[in-house]
Amino acid sequence: MNLWNRRKAAVIFVLMVLIVGAALYWEETPQQGKIPLDPEAVMTKQREQKARPSLHVYVSGAVMYPGLYDLAPGLRYADAIRKAGGMTDEADETRVNLAKKIKDGCQVNVPLRKNRRPAAGKAPPSAGVLPAREKGRRKEQGAARTPKINPNEAPQEELERLPGIGPETARRIISERNTAPFRSVDDLLRVKGIGPKTLSRFRELVEVLP
């Protein structure tokens, strides 16, 4: 073998050694950015997601947004009411057990405050039971004597005299009319916290004037 062939063979040998060494180094060196997944961790996460079913609860009564809600197990009535936007100004929170745990398909109802009874020692204007016709006549006379409230102009103190309207709802009425005046009594449904049931309690006591 001449000198040229020997040099050629040496170069080829060196190249083969470099190629084999690089291949071995690449296999033993961990590649960055590739994190192997742990099958046990994946299965554990899937089991946890399946083990947390939601409960369907109907929240009604004096809350901001009555309706059907999906809640996690272990929550209480207070959490369901908070999910529905909280209680309105006319809610009677003393008649709701906020610490009671919710169940699937249960109803969380927030009752309204009852009307105040006459003070002790003050008897009605007349004793006995009045005939239905006389009751209606006196009711109409009383309504005629009481001026109706204009929600477009009434101050907050006057709005609070309406049944079911508290300080917070009265402020919302004023804020809403400043944005766009009410054109009818039904426009009061635009106010947050006033629903059809609440509106029916004072519909005959208000009159919308421009």
Side-chain angles (χ1 to χ4, degrees), residues 98-152:
L98 300 177
K100 186 176 180 180
K101 287 189 176 181
I102 61 173
K103 297 181 181 180
D104 186 41
C106 72
Q107 179 179 2
V108 180
N109 183 65
V110 180
L112 297 170
R113 288 195 298 266
K114 293 183 179 180
N115 295 332
R116 295 181 179 179
R117 298 179 179 179
K122 294 184 178 180
S126 59
V129 180
L130 294 175
R133 184 178 300 177
E134 183 64 22
K135 285 184 178 180
R137 185 181 299 112
R138 292 194 177 188
K139 184 177 180 179
E140 292 176 359
Q141 291 175 354
R145 290 193 300 267
T146 304
K148 293 187 176 183
I149 295 176
N150 180 12
N152 280 329

Side-chain angles (χ1 to χ4, degrees), residues 156-190:
Q156 179 176 338
E157 295 77 10
E158 191 172 352
L159 292 172
E160 292 178 12
R161 298 195 191 106
L162 296 173
I165 301 298
E168 183 64 25
T169 305
R171 286 192 290 268
R172 291 174 185 163
I173 292 175
I174 296 174
S175 177
E176 185 67 25
R177 78 188 184 192
N178 290 336
T179 303
F182 303 110
R183 297 182 179 275
S184 65
V185 177
D186 290 330
D187 279 354
L188 288 168
L189 294 173
R190 292 170 8 209

Side-chain angles (χ1 to χ4, degrees), residues 53-55 70-76 102:
S54 60
L55 304 182
D70 294 336
L71 300 173
L75 296 182
R76 303 181 184 274
I102 61 173

Side-chain angles (χ1 to χ4, degrees), residues 54-67:
S54 60
L55 304 182
H56 303 289
V57 179
Y58 178 57
V59 186
S60 61
V63 294
M64 301 301 292
Y65 306 106

Side-chain angles (χ1 to χ4, degrees), residues 37-47:
L37 294 177
D38 185 0
E40 183 65 25
V42 175
M43 295 179 63
T44 301
K45 185 176 182 180
Q46 292 177 351
R47 286 195 298 266

